[in-house]
C-alpha cells in the first residue's frame, strides 16, 4: 500500500505545448524574428518538418547540431524561396539543375551542387558541395519569402530517429527545448525529398524520396547513377536513420501470423497492409492501404504510434517492390537494418 500522502498526490501535470503555434501570419512573423536573432524554428514542409536556422549564421547552424545530437560532419540542406537564389549558394549551375528546378521546384527534390564561396562549412559538412531545395509547402514558402535568406533545415527529429510529419511529433521529441514549432498540419508527402547529386560528371541518386527517380530520369533524358566512392557523402543514408526505438522486421503476412502465435513474452506491433491481423489488440496494429502515396503519408506517424505502445518489435508487412514504392522500401529497409545492427544513435 502506498502511504496516503503519496496515493493522494495529483499526477504530474502534462507539459503544455506552449511553443507550438499555428502557422498563421503572426506565427510566421515570430519565426522570422527568431531566425534573424540566430535562433532555431521548426517549420512544416511538404515532406517532413524541418528544424530551421539562418544558413548564413554559424552560431545558429551550430544550434541545430546540438539540438539534434547530429555529428558535425553531416551536411544539412539549405531551403530557398526560389531557384533564382541558387546563384548565391552554388558556384556552378549546370543545365541539368535548371531543367530539374523548372520541372520539380517547388517540391520534394534536393540538388547537390558545387558550393559557392562563403557557404559555411557547418552547412556542407566541410565538403565542396551544398544541398539545395525549394519546398512547396505554403508555410515554408511564406517563411522563406519573409526571411529572404537560406534556411538550413534537417528533419526535426533527434539524430537517427523517425522524421516528424506533424508538429506534435516534433513536440514529442523535443518538448519545450525549441522556442517555436510552427504547426502547419500533417505533411502531404510524408517522406523526405529525393536527393540528386549534380556536382560530378554524371547525375547520381543519393536518396530516393518524394519525387520518383524515374520522373527525374525522364526529365534529364539520361539514367541516374548510383553513389560511388567519388560521390558526395550523404550521411543520412546510413542504416542508423529513420528507425523507431522498437526493432523493425519486414515480413510476409504468413510470417506475421506465425510470429503472433509463437512469440515468447515479446510485445509485438504490426503495420499491416489493407486488412487487420486477427487476434492482436487494435492498439498494437496499424493498417495502411496498398497505395504508395497514402502509405508514405502515414508511414512515420504509424511507426511513432506503435513505438509509443512500447512494443519490442514492429512487424511490417512487406509492401510491393515496384518503382512507386522505392523510397518507402528504402526507409523500411534502413529501419530494419538498424535493428539488425543494434545501432543506437
Ligand atoms: O525532405 C527533406 O529533405 C527534409 C526537409 C526538412 O526538407 N530534410 C531532410 O534533411 O531530410 P536531413 O538533414 O534529415 O537529410 C538531408 C540529407 C542527409 O542525408 C545529408 O547527408 C544530405 O541530405 N545532404 C545534405 N547536404 C549534402 C551535401 N552537400 N552532399 C551530400 N549530401 C548532403
Ligand atoms: Mg533526417
Amino acid at each position: 500500500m502506498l502511504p496516503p500522502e503519496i496515493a493522494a498526490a495529483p499526477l504530474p501535470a502534462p507539459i503544455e505545448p506552449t511553443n507550438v503555434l499555428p502557422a498563421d501570419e503572426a506565427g510566421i512573423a515570430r519565426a522570422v524574428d527568431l531566425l534573424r536573432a540566430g535562433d532555431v524554428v521548426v517549420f512544416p514542409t511538404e515532406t517532413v518538418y524541418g528544424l530551421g536556422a539562418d544558413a548564413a549564421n554559424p552560431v545558429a547552424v551550430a544550434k541545430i547540431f546540438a539540438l539534434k545530437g547530429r555529428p558535425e560532419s553531416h551536411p544539412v540542406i539549405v531551403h530557398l524561396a526560389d531557384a533564382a537564389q541558387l546563384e548565391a549558394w552554388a558556384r556552378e549551375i549546370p543545365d541539368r539543375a535548371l531543367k530539374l528546378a523548372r520541372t520539380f521546384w517547388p517540391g520534394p527534390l534536393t540538388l547537390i551542387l558545387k558550393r559557392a564561396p562563403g557557404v559555411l562549412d557547418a552547412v556542407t559538412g566541410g565538403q565542396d558541395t551544398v544541398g539545395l531545395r525549394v519546398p512547396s509547402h505554403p508555410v515554408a514558402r511564406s517563411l522563406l519569402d519573409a526571411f529572404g535568406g537560406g534556411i538550413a533545415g534537417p528533419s526535426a527529429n533527434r539524430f537517427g530517429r523517425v522524421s516528424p510529419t506533424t508538429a506534435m511529433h516534433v513536440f514529442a521529441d523535443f518538448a519545450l527545448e525549441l522556442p517555436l514549432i510552427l504547426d502547419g498540419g500533417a505533411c502531404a508527402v510524408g517522406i523526405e525529398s529525393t536527393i540528386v547529386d549534380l556536382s560530378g560528371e554524371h547525375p547520381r541518386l543519393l536518396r530516393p524520396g518524394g519525387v520518383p527517380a524515374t520522373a527525374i530520369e525522364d526529365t534529364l533524358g539520361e539514367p541516374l547513377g548510383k553513389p560511388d566512392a567519388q560521390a558526395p557523402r550523404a550521411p543520412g543514408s546510413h542504416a542508423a536513420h529513420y528507425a523507431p526505438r522498437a526493432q523493425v522486421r519486414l515480413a510476409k503476412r504468413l510470417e506475421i501470423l506465425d510470429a503472433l502465435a509463437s512469440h515468447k513474452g515479446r510485445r509485438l506491433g504490426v503495420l499491416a497492409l489493407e486488412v487487420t491481423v486477427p487476434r492482436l489488440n487494435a492498439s498494437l496494429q496499424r493498417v495502411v492501404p496498398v497505395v504508395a502515396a497514402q502509405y508514405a503519408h502515414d508511414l512515420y506517424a504509424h511507426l511513432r504510434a506503435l513505438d509509443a505502445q512500447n512494443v519490442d518489435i514492429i512487424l511490417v508487412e512487406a509492401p510491393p517492390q515496384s518503382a512507386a514504392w522505392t523510397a518507402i522500401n528504402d526507409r523500411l529497409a534502413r529501419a530494419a537494418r538498424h535493428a539488425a545492427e543494434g545501432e543506437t544513435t
Side-chain angles (χ1 to χ4, degrees), residues 47 70 75 77 79 129 133 154-155 192-193 195 207 233-236:
T47 58
R70 181 174 170 132
I77 293 172
H79 299 77
T129 55
R133 160 163 130 78
S155 49
E192 300 82 353
S193 60
I195 304 182
R207 176 175 76 181
R233 289 174 298 111

Side-chain angles (χ1 to χ4, degrees), residues 68 155 157 163:
K68 280 193 65 125
S155 49
N157 51 283
S163 296

